[in-house]
Amino acid sequence: MATSQRRGVQLILVLGMLASAALLTGCIGQGQYDKLYETNSSLTRRNAELTRERDEARAQIELMRRSVGSNAGTLSDLQRQNDELRRQLEQALADYRTLEQRIAAFDFGPVDAETDQALAALAAQYPDLIRYDPARGMLRFASDLTFDSGSDAVKENARQALGALAQILNSASASAYDVIIEGHTDSQRIANPATLREHRTNRRLSAHRSIAVIDELGKLGVASDRMMAAGWGEHRPAVPNTASGNTPQNRRVEIFLVRSTGSRRSTESAEPAPTPTPTTPSGPAIDLTK
């Protein structure tokens, strides 16, 4: 564009000189003069157009230069965000491995005879709701610790069984045990927007439910420093998940009694929980829903 502009200016100068020479020598007619004038006017307009195009091109180049600088800043911000997310993920994985190591270090096994008898009696009292594994010192709650779909709030029909369990945990024979509460889900994805706002993943949902059980037992007098919550989500299924992921057997809460691994620092006192009125469950078992 700059070359065309220079040529236009040069042509105007040449024509102007020719016109002047012709006028001085008196050898040019009026028609030729008019033609030269029109050509000069046309070239002047063309020169103005070229100047405008040049200015527009410069403005576009400057705009592009600024855009490139802005994009570079945006890319840098995205890189920093990505680095921070990677750091958080690495920390979460490290915490997860630490949790696995801690759980692996616990002595899961048979409990003393008195506690074993009490836990077996509890399971017998709620045969459709609780299963007891004496070899592991574990109670598996299926239907008594039911939750509304996507909720971590313990339903009312679970509180009576928790009351009976709290009384066992507060007994002299069981006082030497810590309580590990593990939440599990099936592999069905969380789709409800309201649930996603509270529990973004199955792991979070299972952990939040374990914490809810701890809160309930704490209200019933079990010392908080005896209890630990873990959430496995769908990663420790009891049975293979179905193709749809909807597998009720895998939606469960498991409570382990393990020998205490350290001194307790809490000063809270555990008050004996009231003795629940024995009842015999009737009707079909209620599935533990997500």
Side-chain angles (χ1 to χ4, degrees):
M1 287 183 287
T3 302
S4 299
Q5 184 180 4
R6 288 196 298 272
R7 289 178 178 175
V9 173
Q10 291 172 356
L11 184 54
I12 292 171
L13 293 174
V14 170
L15 290 174
M17 292 173 63
L18 290 174
S20 299
L23 289 174
L24 290 173
T25 58
C27 297
I28 185 170
Q30 183 64 40
Q32 291 176 321
Y33 174 81
D34 292 341
K35 186 176 181 179
L36 289 171
Y37 182 82
E38 179 63 28
T39 301
N40 180 63
S41 298
S42 177
L43 291 173
T44 300
R45 288 193 297 271
R46 179 56 179 163
N47 182 60
E49 291 176 0
L50 292 173
T51 300
R52 178 179 57 78
E53 291 176 0
R54 180 204 63 190
D55 294 341
E56 290 177 352
R58 287 177 175 174
Q60 290 177 356
I61 291 172
E62 180 62 24
L63 182 62
M64 292 175 63
R65 184 180 293 111
R66 292 178 181 176
S67 177
V68 169
S70 176
N71 288 337
T74 301
L75 181 61
S76 178
D77 290 341
L78 291 175
Q79 183 62 48
R80 284 194 294 270
Q81 293 177 19
N82 183 62
D83 292 342
E84 175 61 19
L85 289 174
R86 183 182 294 109
R87 185 194 66 77
Q88 293 179 12
L89 176 60
E90 291 174 351
Q91 182 60 50
L93 290 174
D95 292 343
Y96 175 68
R97 287 190 292 269
T98 300
L99 176 61
E100 281 193 312
Q101 292 169 359
R102 289 186 61 190
I103 291 177
F106 287 120
D107 182 17
F108 292 101
V111 296
D112 66 273
E114 185 176 346
T115 302
D116 176 75
Q117 184 177 0
L119 294 177
L122 177 64
Q125 183 180 347
Y126 299 92
D128 296 325
L129 307 178
I130 304 175
R131 294 192 179 186
Y132 175 51
D133 181 354
R136 303 169 67 196
M138 182 267 286
L139 294 171
R140 175 176 292 172
F141 288 78
S143 300
D144 66 318
L145 288 180
T146 54
F147 299 87
D148 288 329
S149 180
S151 172
D152 61 348
V154 179
K155 295 178 71 173
E156 185 61 34
N157 65 333
R159 300 181 188 278
Q160 188 174 68
L162 283 177
L165 175 59
Q167 189 168 11
I168 295 173
L169 295 176
N170 288 328
S171 66
S173 63
S175 62
Y177 297 102
D178 287 333
V179 184
I180 312 302
I181 302 171
E182 297 182 358
H184 300 265
T185 69
D186 57 20
S187 60
Q188 192 173 28
R189 299 293 89 192
I190 298 175
N192 188 306
T195 302
L196 285 172
R197 284 195 293 269
E198 299 294 330
H199 324 284
R200 290 185 292 170
T201 64
N202 281 330
R203 184 183 293 279
R204 288 173 183 263
L205 176 59
S206 64
H208 293 166
R209 286 177 170 175
S210 296
I211 293 170
V213 172
I214 284 181
D215 290 342
E216 290 296 327
L217 291 174
K219 294 175 185 177
L220 294 167
V222 181
S224 296
D225 59 0
R226 294 179 62 192
M227 298 184 287
M228 186 182 82
W232 293 111
E234 68 270 33
H235 300 294
R236 296 291 178 92
V239 299
N241 282 292
T242 61
S244 67
N246 186 4
T247 314
Q249 299 95 313
N250 290 332
R251 300 194 294 263
R252 65 202 191 277
V253 173
E254 297 177 341
I255 300 179
F256 295 83
L257 273 65
V258 298
R259 291 289 178 182
S260 180
T261 57
S263 60
R264 297 172 189 148
R265 292 174 296 178
S266 175
T267 58
E268 54 190 346
S269 59
E271 298 179 358
T275 303
T277 302
T279 59
T280 301
S282 60
I286 305 172
D287 288 334
L288 179 66
T289 58
K290 288 174 63 176

